[in-house]
Amino acid sequence: MAEDTVYMSTPDEFGRFGEFGGRFVPEALMPACLELEDAFLDAWSDREFLAEYRSVLADFAGRPTPITPLARLSERLGISVYAKREDLAHTGSHKINNVVGQTLLTVRMGKSRVIAETGAGQHGVATATAAARLGLACTIFMGEVDTKRQELNVFRMELLGATVVPVTSGSRTLKDAVNEAMREWVTCVEDTHYCLGSVMGPHPFPWMVREMQSIIGHEAARQLRDVRVGTPDYVVACVGGGSNAAGVFAGFANSSAQLIGVEAAGGAAVGHGSPGVLHGMRSLIMQDEFGQIEEAHSISAGLDYPGIGPEHAHLAASGRARYVEVGDEVIIDALRTLSELEGIIPALESAHAVAWLIREAGREIPLGSTVLLNMSGRGDKDVAQVLSILRSGS
Amino acid sequence: MAEDTVYMSTPDEFGRFGEFGGRFVPEALMPACLELEDAFLDAWSDREFLAEYRSVLADFAGRPTPITPLARLSERLGISVYAKREDLAHTGSHKINNVVGQTLLTVRMGKSRVIAETGAGQHGVATATAAARLGLACTIFMGEVDTKRQELNVFRMELLGATVVPVTSGSRTLKDAVNEAMREWVTCVEDTHYCLGSVMGPHPFPWMVREMQSIIGHEAARQLRDVRVGTPDYVVACVGGGSNAAGVFAGFANSSAQLIGVEAAGGAAVGHGSPGVLHGMRSLIMQDEFGQIEEAHSISAGLDYPGIGPEHAHLAASGRARYVEVGDEVIIDALRTLSELEGIIPALESAHAVAWLIREAGREIPLGSTVLLNMSGRGDKDVAQVLSILRSGS
Amino acid sequence: MKSLERHLRALRETGVKALVPYFMAGVTTDWVRHVEAAIAGGANAVEIGVPFSDPMMDGIVIQEAGLRSLANGTTLDSLCAEVAGLALGVPLIAMSYYNVFHHYGLAASARRLADSGIDGAIVPDLSPEEAEPWRDACHSVDVATVFLVAPSTPSERVTRIATMSEGFVYASARMAVTGRASDLGAAPRVVAAVREATDLPTFVGIGITTPEQAREAAQVADGVIVGSALVRTILDGASPADTEALVNSFRRALD
Amino acid sequence: MKSLERHLRALRETGVKALVPYFMAGVTTDWVRHVEAAIAGGANAVEIGVPFSDPMMDGIVIQEAGLRSLANGTTLDSLCAEVAGLALGVPLIAMSYYNVFHHYGLAASARRLADSGIDGAIVPDLSPEEAEPWRDACHSVDVATVFLVAPSTPSERVTRIATMSEGFVYASARMAVTGRASDLGAAPRVVAAVREATDLPTFVGIGITTPEQAREAAQVADGVIVGSALVRTILDGASPADTEALVNSFRRALD
Ligand SMILES: Cc1ncc(COP(=O)(O)O)c(C=O)c1O
Ligand SMILES: Cc1ncc(COP(=O)(O)O)c(C=O)c1O
């Protein structure tokens, strides 16, 4: 980690972060990726666009989200934990930050429709929401397994006027939803934007989505300064594709804070993956000895993904961030602990970050440390699943 | 409406707003009501308490909530509609404002437990949430009918560590949950605070809850000034017990805005009620010719209540506010319209206010009017119910 | 002094502990027979429940009785008509919630009760603070307004309530709604507090379930009120004869 | 010039339109027999699908074939071993996704293909921008890297791709993943654009389902690629003889 390295800046002209990233898509999609890159570059330096983006986030999506000191959890663990409350953003997770930006960009590019993949359904709901607001048509691809465990979110998307397509190929989860969305995009790229939901996929998505999520980290850094906490010792976020983590890390990339990404043990691309190419990017991917992609298995639909965004692969390789994993078996307990102590029911995804804190406070995390925990989403979508797990008496 | 009348100020020493209000409770509860009145008066003039209340609302509950201009709905209706986004408050509705205050008061009174009634479950979830945060024990009474149509919220309360007691007496809805909570309170008033969820019940509840909700209206008035909309022509809110309406009205009570409370046709205490005494208050109540309380019937559990807060009865009698009603049959359409046009799925309760706008824009509401719509809560809790209604093909 | 008070003071002077059973009017078609049976069994006064849809102070037994009664079509008028003709020889005290009288009209209600031979009224959700209009209405027709004192009532308040109450003071044995219980609760303490404030007859109620409890309560108080224990048996199909026997078992315990 | 290109240029010079059927390696145990049958039926080259778990550019037919093949245990090694011994007399072109080669190692993959007699590779998710390492690896072992041009490819880009492609240029008839279709789509336009940029043989693929479509495509292009239409019948149980007959019907339409 060289002293003068600047972390989380712009990728190179091929969209690479170190040896990861790039653009591995069918030729049919290349022009769209190039167009998107241009459009994003242009918009992201256009004051008017930025002003509109920020005002929609404020007036529609409820930003800034607060920082909540978690007094009782902190006392229990012997560390000072502050939660960045993305669960309070409209639609219930950080996903809205990204889709607000991408749907505004869709309109700017003159397209009239968006498609998206979704795992937990949060990105699908967010996309359907932002599309509704702008009168864009919207189709969401969702693994069939996920349509079942996240039924509530399927309903929400339908009420928002979106069409939800259950994906029955492969493991029928997030990975397959991405495949299917890509296949669909090939057929309609002219008038349709693929509103990717995490810091993954071909350039410019990993970079663009990180930029659109970086408001989380920048807000949090300012808020912690305002309450005189300053730079926390740790910044902790769960990692599926990695967008909420990238967003919060962006505010602390060049600070002294240790950055920790928490993967689901059954979907740990850093923990169990190796370099590979999937969904348009070169990154760390869980794969077998023949390069076949492994099916992720996580209690949480949003982390049920065998890859990770390329910038995270790079942050891991460079040592700037560290990626850890927690298993399904501790997630429900973590969710209950936070609910009962703090009155915040976290999403199962976010509960992974909580579980890591609970496990490591006083071990890896020295007592007395200050921790910023990114509460990426609320658990409403999960409570039916959690209760059925609890009732089946595990 | 005399020129110099001040609306929505303090009730008289008996807790009366005009001829409504008062304190009609079993003697066992009178000391607790008196103690509460003292505690509230004391706390509400204590800067430290107020500072804590406001900081919990900001850091934990996500206040201020934004004002969202509803561009596409406005265009469709020919009026300018701004939504006050209580749906973005923690737990998904305005109910959190009140329980944050009451649970802090509970601690201040040295009590260790709260009980509450709930209809839609939002007040129950909010109470369980605020109780969890402070380590208070919590029991929630909920009509059995409502536990079924709001199953998600029952799960949420359980995860938050609360005990949910299904109430099987009477109509098994909100009214009966209040009865049961009152009965329970009699047995445990020493160490337990009854955290009433609306501007109803015996003095000081109607006044105290209105004060704790008035932040909605005060914020909204300031926000509308900041964006140069100024005083809207109409302020519109749904009315169950009337807390969200009272909260938003409080910011405009002495302005030129017309105040409109929208009742469910099947629970219209102003529309179909007459003066009566129920749940500790004298107010307008739906009752039969013998003074037996009628069962309310509404698609929305939170409006399924045959009474209304006494201050509303007074505002109706004095002509300062007007109360209108909309029937179940237009609610689903209103919910879908808002969802599809604006990307905001309203609670069924809030959809009543939307439905009235849709019905009256260009009729009672002159085209070109400016309207502040209180979006009291989000519809996540309702989507399963709505989809099953839509699928059963009505 | 209201007739009810005169009657109950006189009773106390004879050294008899008052036994006041409660019946829900209209719960069965023969409910009046149960009232008569109770008197035959030794009741000194009878409390008559006027059903209300939302009985906030009642436990499940009396709630159920009230619902049955309403389902049977009972109204204030109908029950008054049923008791009006009777010559029972003991005072009757109506017990209901304020809305029933409020809706009927306060003056009209009071007159209706009086005309039917009812001597007093217990309205548990009517606090002393709110009671003036009702007391006024009752005053001119000689209906006594009975107030309750609860274990939670602080002493200054006990004094005030005891002073306002007419006929007798209802001392709640416990912090609970009507129902059955296994001990005397706070009754001795509550009665003692009332006694400090007034020499009005003081009856203990709420949770008096067995003759043994009644006997204990009568050691400190001037009488007992027995509600749910009797109503339960009627809901379960007791005959007037059963009621007479049950009331008589309480009577024997008190004497 | 790679062998594949020499071969296909030579074929074009004979005036024969190239017929290139696609088979998923390992989809059935006798899949190699289908390859042989196709050649007997008149195929001029054969595309061999190397199964991948996440075939982003494939429709349901080839997805299903790939999954079956994986379930049968097919690997790059196993399929290379199967084709290595054959003397088929026509070029073979591997078709897979980049991760398979990336994981196996680029140089090792290219050598493995070459050693098995495979002359070219189509890697639909490998854009020209990212292709240099793979092209380098293939170069030394005489494996041609075939690129696709899509209907959405703008003209400057067509020029670049056409210039980079080796063996032939794969002209996508439509904006779609592999599958069956009922018309020629944008094929004429795409082929024309490619022809402006290069004189490399240009084959049309994606959605060529019937001999009639193949004939039409061959009027503008140098050859056609037929995938899902053949794979579907194999999934449905077609024998090698069926495949030969089906391929032959395309052959006759082209001649
Ligand atoms: C609440 C929440 N957190 C986290 C994630 C994981 O996505 P990412 O890693 O891109 O933040 C999801 C995805 O659905 C989510 O819904
Ligand atoms: C979202 C929402 N709005 C409105 C109400 C009605 O209550 P009130 O009239 O007190 O605001 C409820 C009650 O549950 C609610 O959940």
Side-chain angles (χ1 to χ4, degrees), chain A residues 93-95 120 122 198 238-244 302-303 347 349-350 376-377:
Chain A
S93 81
H94 68 292
K95 298 284 182 189
Q122 288 303 101
S198 194
C238 68
V239 176
S243 67
N244 86 84
L303 304 186
E349 290 77 16
S350 323
S376 58

Side-chain angles (χ1 to χ4, degrees), chain B residues 16 175 179 277 287 291-292, chain C residues 53-54 99 102 130 152 157:
Chain B
R16 297 210 187 98
K175 160 176 92 66
N179 288 333
V277 172
Q287 49 191 323
Q292 304 298 340
Chain C
S53 53
D54 293 79
N99 199 55
H102 184 272
E130 299 285 356
S152 59
R157 209 174 151 80

Side-chain angles (χ1 to χ4, degrees), chain A residues 204-333:
Chain A
F205 284 105
W207 168 49
M208 177 176 74
V209 176
R210 181 254 280 170
E211 283 293 293
M212 288 174 173
Q213 291 291 4
S214 65
I215 192 164
I216 302 173
H218 294 310
E219 267 180 22
R222 178 173 49 67
Q223 290 166 318
L224 288 177
R225 262 198 315 274
D226 287 352
V227 296
R228 303 223 175 93
V229 171
T231 303
D233 300 315
Y234 293 84
V235 175
V236 182
C238 68
V239 176
S243 67
N244 86 84
V248 73
F249 288 179
F252 302 90
N254 299 295
S255 79
S256 61
Q258 298 199 42
L259 309 179
I260 308 284
V262 184
E263 299 190 286
V270 178
H272 302 312
S274 56
V277 173
L278 179 70
H279 295 156
M281 64 188 172
R282 184 171 192 279
S283 189
L284 294 170
I285 315 277
M286 287 167 57
Q287 48 190 324
D288 69 12
E289 53 176 319
F290 307 109
Q292 304 299 340
I293 308 306
E294 285 187 346
E295 296 184 0
H297 289 291
S298 168
I299 192 173
S300 117
L303 304 186
D304 219 342
Y305 183 67
I308 190 171
E311 188 166 22
H312 287 293
H314 177 58
L315 288 169
S318 68
R320 176 61 191 100
R322 214 151 57 74
Y323 296 81
V324 297
E325 40 186 285
V326 293
D328 283 358
E329 68 285 355
V330 295
I331 300 309
I332 302 279
D333 261 1

Side-chain angles (χ1 to χ4, degrees), chain A residues 59-60 68 72 85 88 90 129 132-133 152 155-156 158-159 339-343 378 380 383 391, chain B residues 58-60 68 72 85 88 90 129 132-133 152 156 158-159 339-343 378 380 383 391:
Chain A
D59 301 343
F60 176 68
T68 305
R72 299 179 73 216
R85 300 291 302 282
L88 291 179
H90 185 41
T129 293
R133 196 185 151 271
L152 174 62
F155 291 169
R156 290 167 78 198
E158 291 178 1
L159 280 177
S339 302
E340 290 176 12
L341 290 182
E342 298 293 346
R378 66 183 184 225
D380 294 27
V383 297
R391 281 175 186 169
Chain B
D59 301 342
F60 176 68
T68 306
R72 299 179 72 216
R85 299 291 303 282
L88 291 179
H90 185 41
T129 293
R133 195 185 152 272
L152 174 62
R156 290 168 78 198
E158 291 179 1
L159 281 177
S339 302
E340 289 175 13
L341 290 182
E342 298 292 344
R378 66 185 184 224
D380 294 28
V383 297
R391 279 173 188 170

Side-chain angles (χ1 to χ4, degrees), chain A residues 20 38 87 106 149 161 183 203 321:
Chain A
F20 300 103
D38 285 346
D87 62 305
T106 303
R149 53 182 167 172
R183 289 177 190 127
H203 181 59

